[in-house]
Amino acid sequence: MRTLATFLITVGVTAPALLDANIAIDGKKLRPHQRSFEIDGTRVTLDVDRSLATTGDKITATLVAYSDTPKQVALDLRLVQSHIQPGQRVSPPERQIDREKITLQATPDGGKARVSLLLGTPRKSLGQLDEFTIFVAPHGTPSPTKHDFDGDADSGADFWQASIDAGQAASVDITGWSGNSISMRTVAEGPIVVGQPFVVAVHVKNTTGKTLPSLPQIDLATSDELAGKSGNDPEVTIDELDSHDTETTVPRGGEVVRRFKITPTLPLKAVTLSVSATALGDDIGPIAGGARDAITFHATESTAKIALR
């Protein structure tokens, strides 16, 4: 099973075997899909500049309002945070950490506003995972974290989901990470050629100073899968090549390697993937060690194509 993201691979122009992972730089190449909704005949779009960030970082949300007749549209943007622990039986409580009232001048060409948002405060402990959600709706819409408003027994989250499903609101999720508590690197095995399959090996080393009680789960996913919209015609397919080890623990300094075959379905010059490594403490949680990073690989064109020039 593939989980939320962390490793980013971009196929480009040249072909170094390994580059340093960097969420702050390469994470910006991984963006959520645009969301939109309508209010009184005006279409509003929501774009966010990244879906993977370090908790405490700033991100930018861009809102654009389109209307054949110019008019003002008042919106509420809310930023909600929840601390995630895989395997929890009860979902962690959400809390609203920011609310912005935004007035857009809707025009046929689109009236735009950019909003800078702070993803909480940096965490002192490594290996901590947060989920941030940006909600946008007409001004005055109740908070998605409140319950029993207007005499309704449903939760705020249920109310918001119904509004989103009805095309009356929009939301985008962002993964927040506090930093790697285990070491992770990835290596391309052999040259990477545009449009051709290639293999990457993800190396995860136990640097926690103690035995990990379980093998880390290592996952790769496309940007579409990360956004929850994989569809039937993916630009890239991912196949794990290795069977899982029979060992159930990882000693101090021990290393686990997983190899994946990446197959572009189109001759793309850029392919974005996400990867995560998570070792749980007792099969269901909490996280005993984890890594989430962004990394960029580049590809060359085939020798045959170059010879034809």
Side-chain angles (χ1 to χ4, degrees), residues 11 193-197 263-269 299-300:
V11 178
V193 179
V194 171
Q196 295 185 13
T263 305
T265 60
L266 298 170
L268 302 172
K269 291 186 177 181
T300 59

Side-chain angles (χ1 to χ4, degrees), residues 9 11 14-16 188 190-194 196-198 200 297-301:
I9 302 173
V11 178
T14 57
I192 304 175
V193 179
V194 171
Q196 295 185 13
F198 60 97
V200 298
F297 284 93
H298 300 278
T300 59
E301 293 185 347

